[in-house]
Amino acid sequence: RDELRATLVAMLQRMYGWRVAPEALVFLPGVEPGFNMALKAFLAPGDGVAVQTPMYRPILVAPGHWGMKRIDVPLQAASGDDTYRTDMTAFGRALDRSKALLFCNPHNPTGKVFARDELQAIAEACLARDVLIVSDDIHCDLLFDGRRHVPIASLSPAIAARTITLMSASKTFNVAGLKTAFAVVTEPGLRERFAASRLGMVDSNNVVGLEATQAAFAHGEPWRRALIAYLQANRDWLADAVATRLPGIRMRKPEGTFLAWLDCGALGLGGDLANFFVGTAKVGLSAGTEFGESGRDFMRLNFGCTRATLEDGVARIETALRSR
């Protein structure tokens, strides 16, 4: 409905200072179909696709669906602080062999939120090589410590003209099961090719999901603010618990999302890491190997839950570590 387009246009302006036309929105049954549509529409088998690893598995495997070559660019863990950084030299070398960048901001699984200057450097490197940017911004409403999300396409009209931005109410408002998302594609020719790549494989939208999206972005801001406060408190509690109660595990505080990327390398468990957490500690975390080779010593923990559940999970891990 026109009402939903108007709500989303107003939301993008209010939250990100990003002015887009209502026709720039393309509605989809999910973000995952969106980045696969983009690869199919604009690249050919054998083309390179740059991905900053570790990475959310559906993004990681997407180039392979279309016979494309994934080119991994590992994020660098900065020494002395909680952040991850882009090695622009390595990034540029990867782009030299790529036709597209599958980007994720905030980043899943590390929780990194890309700052404006880093986004500008990434975007300029892509523009210089005519690399398409496909940006998964699905966690963009969940930022901590007063940060404000910057959609990479909002940096300039030139960058927007080479960018497909994917968003949804699903993570923030917990309506992922309603299978509704939207792409922001400001350049008409890019938008037409993108929309045409449905090819009978990408279904129409869930009407209940469209209504939920309208309700979330029109009326859900007080709830979102309360959610962020709760999640940030969970994050801080978890960071302290990891540091004081879970020897051999390190956690860099995520800047956004509800995901903690736990460095378990010091435990020395190797290939038995996932079995330890699931089989011994009885806590169902996501194995770091799902996110690429660079995640082999990591586990991903979802702290988007009640504090009681989080406390129970940490206590189980603590008990399992003590009994080793």
Side-chain angles (χ1 to χ4, degrees):
R1 294 188 294 159
D2 290 343
E3 181 185 8
L4 176 55
R5 289 184 183 272
T7 293
L8 294 176
V9 167
M11 179 273 293
L12 293 171
Q13 170 64 35
R14 181 181 71 252
M15 296 190 68
Y16 314 122
W18 188 18
R19 291 183 180 274
V20 305
E23 61 268 22
L25 305 176
V26 179
F27 291 93
L28 303 165
V31 163
E32 185 174 346
F35 52 71
N36 278 282
M37 282 170 56
L39 292 181
K40 176 62 176 174
F42 298 102
L43 279 72
D47 285 345
V49 181
V51 176
Q52 292 177 297
T53 55
M55 181 56 76
Y56 178 55
R57 185 166 180 79
I59 292 178
L60 202 66
V61 301
H65 295 329
W66 310 104
M68 298 164 190
K69 183 179 180 182
R70 192 184 80 225
I71 300 172
D72 292 353
V73 191
L75 284 170
Q76 302 297 313
S79 58
D81 58 34
D82 283 328
T83 62
Y84 289 84
R85 293 191 171 89
T86 302
D87 180 336
M88 291 306 300
T89 300
F91 186 72
R93 287 197 299 265
L95 291 185
D96 287 338
R97 299 179 287 141
S98 302
K99 294 291 183 67
L101 166 68
L102 281 186
F103 191 53
C104 188
N105 179 32
H107 186 265
N108 179 356
T110 67
K112 172 182 171 61
V113 173
F114 289 81
R116 181 178 292 270
D117 58 346
E118 191 171 5
L119 290 171
Q120 190 73 44
I122 288 170
E124 289 177 358
C126 290
L127 284 185
R129 298 163 175 83
D130 195 28
V131 169
L132 177 73
I133 302 171
V134 183
S135 186
D136 175 356
D137 291 28
I138 200 168
H139 288 99
C140 65
D141 301 321
L142 300 173
L143 274 60
F144 304 132
D145 307 310
R147 292 179 175 85
R148 186 182 186 190
H149 177 69
V150 180
I152 195 168
S154 71
L155 294 174
S156 76
I159 295 167
R162 292 294 294 155
T163 302
I164 294 169
T165 305
L166 301 166
M167 294 178 161
S168 175
S170 61
K171 299 298 184 184
T172 303
F173 297 97
N174 201 24
V175 291
L178 297 182
K179 295 294 183 182
T180 304
F182 59 96
V184 185
V185 193
T186 61
E187 204 284 315
L190 198 73
R191 184 167 65 248
E192 184 178 353
R193 285 183 62 184
F194 174 70
S197 66
R198 294 176 185 269
L199 298 175
M201 296 181 292
V202 177
D203 203 357
S204 58
N205 293 98
N206 180 335
V207 67
V208 179
L210 292 172
E211 289 301 299
T213 300
Q214 165 66 20
F217 287 118
H219 308 295
E221 182 59 15
W223 187 89
R224 186 187 72 88
R225 290 180 182 273
L227 170 68
I228 289 174
Y230 195 99
L231 288 176
Q232 184 169 318
N234 268 6
R235 179 204 62 171
D236 294 343
W237 182 91
L238 177 63
D240 180 72
V242 169
T244 59
R245 296 169 54 187
L246 305 182
I249 301 177
R250 182 185 179 191
M251 168 186 159
R252 293 175 184 267
K253 274 189 177 182
E255 299 165 334
T257 79
F258 42 75
L259 306 168
W261 190 232
L262 304 181
D263 184 348
C264 305
L267 296 179
L269 292 172
D272 292 329
L273 186 60
N275 289 334
F276 169 78
F277 281 92
V278 176
T280 303
K282 306 297 184 185
V283 177
L285 309 186
S286 298
T289 51
E290 295 181 10
F291 303 86
E293 178 60 25
S294 61
R296 62 186 177 276
D297 290 329
F298 290 78
M299 299 293 289
R300 192 190 71 170
L301 183 150
N302 181 337
F303 57 87
C305 57
T306 65
R307 177 65 62 81
T309 298
L310 185 60
E311 291 177 353
D312 183 20
V314 167
R316 290 171 182 234
I317 296 169
E318 182 180 25
T319 298
L321 289 172
R322 287 179 175 176
S323 64
R324 289 179 66 203

